[in-house]
Amino acid sequence: MTYNGAHVDSEGCRTKTGWGWFVAWFAVGACLVAGLAAILTVGLGFLVLATVAAGLLLWKGPRNAVVGGLAGLALPLFYIAYLNRGGPGNVCRSSSGGQTCTDEYTPIPFLVGGVLVFVAGFVIFLLLERGARNAPAPGR
């Protein structure tokens, strides 16, 4: 049974949510942002997958693990930072057919944004876990 997002066991005591639910929501958040980023190609499939997974998690899982989705939003930001690791500016790389040059952004804003979003989701989850552990169970 759940109460305000925390599981309540048969004796009426609140229990921890568990990292598995957090990781599942992390995957939903990453899938959602990847779907939005790739909306013109495979993004619709990612959005449908994220929606179905979110529905299942909301139906079966505890509510306070939803902040894992916030942390999952950081994954595409980390990927964009990685893709632009040579920037900012025009970056040329040797290839088998000669040389390819691309204009890259500075990766720092994407990296900082990803770290901030990831840490925010992680800290909020830990605070909710601590609150669920320390709060009295309903009816006591």
Side-chain angles (χ1 to χ4, degrees):
M1 164 168 62
T2 61
Y3 175 75
N4 283 343
H7 282 282
V8 179
D9 66 11
S10 60
E11 298 164 357
C13 297
R14 291 182 182 213
T15 59
K16 294 192 299 185
T17 300
W19 288 101
W21 295 107
F22 180 84
V23 170
W25 276 105
F26 182 88
V28 168
C31 191
L32 176 70
V33 173
L36 290 174
I39 193 72
L40 296 177
T41 56
V42 296
L44 189 58
F46 281 118
L47 291 175
V48 168
L49 180 65
T51 303
V52 169
L56 288 172
L57 289 172
L58 285 172
W59 179 46
K60 286 289 192 183
R63 301 285 188 263
N64 61 348
V66 172
V67 296
L70 174 67
L73 300 177
L75 199 59
L77 292 173
F78 290 143
Y79 183 63
I80 292 170
Y82 173 76
L83 290 178
N84 289 289
R85 67 191 177 276
N90 196 10
V91 177
C92 296
R93 291 185 175 87
S94 297
S95 65
S96 60
Q99 190 177 44
T100 59
C101 296
T102 57
D103 198 24
E104 295 184 2
Y105 298 108
T106 181
I108 300 300
F110 299 106
L111 183 62
V112 169
V115 168
L116 289 175
V117 169
F118 180 77
V119 169
F122 187 74
V123 167
I124 292 169
F125 180 73
L126 289 177
L127 291 174
L128 290 173
E129 282 290 288
R130 181 183 299 171
R133 213 176 319 128
N134 295 336
R140 289 196 171 208

